[in-house]
Amino acid sequence: MVPSVRRSLLACVLAFCAFSAQAMECIVPAKPGGGMDGACKVMRKSLPTVADTPAANVKISYLPGGIGAVAWSSVVSQRRGGPDTLVTFSGGSLLNLAQGKYGKAAVSDVRWLAGIGVDYGMIAVRSDAPYRNLSELTQAMRRDPGKITIGVSGTVGSQDWLKVAMIARRANVDPRDLRFVALEGGGESFTALQAGHVQMISGDASEATQYASNGQFRVLAVLADQRLPGALAGVPTAREQGFDVVWPIIRGFYMSAHVSEADYQRWVTLFDQTMASDEFKRQRAASGLYPFAMTGAALTDYIHNVVEQYRKQSQDLGLVR
């Protein structure tokens, strides 16, 4: 065997053995049931097919608060976050970081580990709502902007708020006249919609995929370039309905900046191996995510660029100074 190949194989074996000796903790910075929860569950089902560890050793912990701020602070301050602790993030996390909602936080405060898929925004109502499409919904907004209560993850300026704001502006509705309710994650949004506490929600397609089959909700639009395959294949895009709004959402994981380079690279190797597996691709599709795979230094550069783009967009909208 070629020495370099032998060394590479040995490194992978040692990495897998090191992983199997530890329990992995996957922190969800939201309540159960949303897209970030789904990302942890994808890895809990996929990692054991690559690393020699039972799924039971992958612990999911929920740490909601501040749409990711509590989890971020806990990891950055080292209250949480050892070498086998991962935190899931979304495009909304990056937007909050760009807008300063995590305080004086910087992209370099954590180690960006892996992006495992891309999601897209969506707009949903209850199945018994009178709105069959975005046109009917926005017409109702124009007639009485304060009548429809809108559930979003986060407050003014969050990605869910921005999705609605962009659609409203294209319908000549001032977003400032609308009624928003701040919720903690997609799971809570669907719960509030089901209970009638809100009349519509702005969320993510992967979240809608989890609830699409029960007949209680109607997804009016997905904010993608084209129709999505799978459970939402019959849902038209906002662009099809005359609203040129597209909102992709990366999903992935970061770690504490204080973990060693060896531990970080061990996880990079594990994610590279896992995301190349057929089981991961099946789990990603089942969760409503679409192909996107990036790890390590490449992902870190990507995150820097995305956060800067979000910062400029937010400045243009007057959301940050």
Side-chain angles (χ1 to χ4, degrees):
M1 183 180 294
V2 178
S4 61
V5 174
R6 186 185 300 115
R7 286 194 296 270
S8 296
L9 289 174
L10 178 60
C12 287
V13 170
L14 290 175
F16 294 162
C17 289
F19 176 84
S20 62
Q22 299 290 330
M24 167 194 168
E25 181 184 27
C26 190
I27 294 178
V28 178
K31 294 183 178 180
M36 288 193 283
D37 186 14
C40 278
K41 289 175 179 175
V42 166
M43 299 315 298
R44 181 167 66 180
K45 294 174 181 177
S46 303
L47 276 172
T49 67
V50 176
D52 184 18
T53 185
N57 280 357
V58 181
K59 175 188 176 184
I60 297 180
S61 302
Y62 299 95
L63 195 60
I67 313 300
V70 171
W72 178 278
S73 176
S74 295
V75 170
V76 170
S77 66
Q78 300 187 66
R79 293 194 300 272
R80 300 281 287 269
D84 292 292
T85 296
L86 313 183
V87 184
T88 184
F89 73 90
S90 73
S93 311
L94 304 182
L95 180 63
N96 288 340
L97 182 59
Q99 293 177 349
K101 292 184 178 179
Y102 291 175
K104 295 181 179 180
V107 172
S108 58
D109 287 346
V110 300
R111 282 181 177 265
W112 300 97
L113 177 60
I116 67 164
V118 66
D119 200 350
Y120 293 92
M122 66 86 207
I123 303 296
V125 296
R126 281 173 40 139
S127 57
D128 58 359
Y131 320 113
R132 309 293 303 186
N133 52 54
L134 281 185
S135 292
E136 292 179 359
L137 178 64
T138 54
Q139 287 170 15
M141 288 178 174
R142 278 198 299 269
R143 288 194 298 269
D144 189 349
K147 183 177 180 180
I148 300 172
T149 304
I150 306 164
V152 297
S153 294
T155 55
V156 172
S158 70
Q159 67 168 350
D160 286 351
W161 183 92
L162 282 171
K163 296 169 197 172
V164 177
M166 289 189 292
I167 291 171
R169 284 186 173 185
R170 284 160 176 76
N172 296 317
V173 176
D174 190 337
R176 294 174 295 183
D177 294 335
L178 300 174
R179 292 179 59 198
F180 291 93
V181 175
L183 301 167
E184 192 70 47
E188 188 172 33
S189 293
F190 273 97
T191 299
L193 181 61
Q194 181 178 11
H197 300 316
V198 298
Q199 283 72 58
M200 65 168 279
I201 58 173
S202 168
D204 304 336
S206 65
E207 298 164 352
T209 297
Q210 300 176 45
Y211 299 95
S213 62
N214 66 12
Q216 295 180 314
F217 307 104
R218 179 184 301 133
V219 182
L220 299 184
V222 292
L223 309 185
D225 303 273
Q226 55 190 1
R227 291 200 184 196
L228 301 175
L232 302 181
V235 178
T237 67
R239 184 174 282 172
E240 283 181 71
Q241 301 178 65
F243 300 85
D244 191 12
V245 178
V246 176
W247 193 275
I249 307 152
I250 182 179
R251 294 204 180 278
F253 299 89
Y254 66 81
M255 303 179 70
S256 167
H258 302 282
V259 301
S260 69
E261 180 65 17
D263 282 321
Y264 176 66
Q265 291 301 331
R266 170 169 61 90
W267 277 105
V268 168
T269 299
L270 283 167
F271 269 87
D272 285 338
Q273 294 282 339
T274 300
M275 291 193 290
S277 71
D278 290 337
E279 180 60 23
F280 168 79
K281 293 170 184 176
R282 283 192 291 270
Q283 294 297 337
R284 180 180 62 193
S287 72
L289 292 177
Y290 303 91
F292 179 95
M294 192 178 291
T295 59
L299 177 68
T300 301
D301 290 341
Y302 176 88
I303 297 295
H304 275 278
N305 291 333
V306 169
V307 169
E308 187 57 33
Q309 290 172 10
Y310 280 159
R311 184 175 290 114
K312 290 179 180 178
Q313 288 177 344
S314 297
Q315 288 171 341
D316 291 343
L317 290 169
L319 298 171
V320 295
R321 296 180 179 178

